[in-house]
Amino acid sequence: MNLQEIIDDSKRIVFFGGAGVSTESGIPDFRSEDGLYSQKYSFPPEQIVSHTFYMRNTEEFYRFYRDRMIFPEAKPNAAHLKLAELEKAGKLSCVITQNIDGLNQAAGSMNVIELHGSVHRNYCESCGKFYPLSAVTESAGVPRCKCGGRIKPDVVLYEEGLKEDDLVRATEEIAAADTLIIGGTSLVVYPAAGLVRYFSGRHLVVINKSEISADKSAELVINESIGKVMERIKVDN
């Protein structure tokens, strides 16, 4: 079956996506040739976005975070828009994303599980008050709450655990799906990548530019731009 036939045959699709979904919106991924890990900084990017580095070098963390992790001008691309359309048509039940950019919601998706958090949520480590993205982008150095506490992005850094509620919800959604589409992810970051093992539905589809571990068990593997692939899908509303 091709992708259109699989989608037509599906009633409960779950989309599990990663950085490759947002690269067409101008947001760099981490592991490709032009990704963050291949760029040169005083410290390795993987170290900078760790909990230890954040605690010990908060100002340097924010310098990198503002420069390379926040893209407030980015707009949803064809993949984000098609996922929202599929949800509105009653075909797609959930988007599970490892991205922190909020582009799925900007495109109109309602049921989105953000495994690694969101740049659009920030909170005071002292009093717990939440702040929008502007609290980070419109400040210099380490952003501070009115109470004087440090404001931290509600994103999961290396060495930090994923929220239990998100993991439970994602597991339940994948287990209940009749079709799982994995898109734009290398499936190497755990525990998020391990969630796909809970899928036992009819159709497993992988859309990714390079080979990944899930290819072996997938019914359909498409090594193309995810935006172009999703754009071709026709949705009955």
Side-chain angles (χ1 to χ4, degrees):
M1 298 176 80
N2 62 35
L3 183 58
Q4 185 68 57
E5 290 170 334
I6 288 173
I7 287 173
D8 291 343
D9 185 53
S10 304
K11 294 182 179 176
R12 192 178 179 90
I13 301 168
V14 168
F15 181 86
F16 184 95
V21 178
S22 292
T23 52
E24 290 167 55
S25 294
I27 299 178
D29 66 3
F30 275 66
R31 289 176 173 79
S32 71
E33 257 182 49
D34 301 318
L36 290 181
Y37 287 174
S38 67
Q39 298 176 23
K40 304 299 180 186
Y41 293 91
S42 300
F43 301 88
E46 195 162 14
Q47 182 182 343
I48 297 174
V49 292
S50 70
H51 178 79
T52 298
F53 192 93
Y54 170 79
M55 297 300 291
R56 293 178 180 172
N57 303 275
T58 313
E59 193 157 340
E60 184 67 22
F61 167 87
Y62 268 107
R63 190 175 294 118
F64 176 85
Y65 183 76
R66 288 187 181 97
D67 184 41
R68 303 306 306 163
M69 301 291 287
I70 301 175
F71 297 86
E73 304 304 316
K75 304 294 183 189
N77 61 52
H80 299 112
L81 295 169
K82 187 62 67 174
L83 290 170
E85 189 183 349
L86 285 165
E87 182 185 42
K88 189 176 179 182
K91 282 283 188 181
L92 184 139
S93 64
C94 180
V95 171
I96 302 169
T97 181
Q98 299 171 86
N99 297 336
I100 59 175
D101 51 48
L103 291 180
N104 286 110
Q105 291 93 327
S109 288
M110 304 299 291
N111 190 17
V112 181
I113 301 174
E114 297 173 304
L115 293 175
H116 295 156
S118 172
V119 298
H120 297 283
R121 295 188 303 271
N122 305 273
Y123 64 93
C124 173
E125 292 177 300
S126 297
C127 72
K129 180 179 178 179
F130 269 83
Y131 285 89
L133 180 58
S134 58
V136 175
T137 58
E138 295 175 9
S139 62
V142 179
R144 294 283 174 181
C145 175
K146 291 177 182 176
C147 78
R150 183 170 61 187
I151 295 175
K152 181 181 186 294
D154 188 18
V155 300
V156 179
L157 304 177
Y158 285 105
E159 304 166 349
E160 295 179 344
L162 273 60
K163 293 178 183 176
E164 190 64 30
D165 286 353
D166 289 338
L167 285 171
V168 170
R169 280 180 60 212
T171 300
E172 290 173 347
E173 288 283 0
I174 290 173
D178 59 9
T179 295
L180 176 62
I181 301 175
I182 300 170
T185 175
S186 55
L187 283 187
V188 297
V189 177
Y190 283 81
L195 292 170
V196 300
R197 73 179 186 271
Y198 292 100
F199 177 68
S200 58
R202 292 200 307 277
H203 308 293
L204 176 61
V205 177
V206 174
I207 308 171
N208 202 54
K209 285 185 176 178
S210 56
E211 292 182 14
I212 63 171
S213 57
D215 289 0
K216 297 172 187 173
S217 49
E219 175 183 350
L220 177 65
V221 176
I222 304 173
N223 296 129
E224 286 183 57
S225 152
I226 191 165
K228 290 178 182 175
V229 172
M230 298 296 285
E231 199 170 31
R232 294 196 292 263
I233 295 169
K234 292 182 173 61
V235 181
D236 264 336
N237 291 303

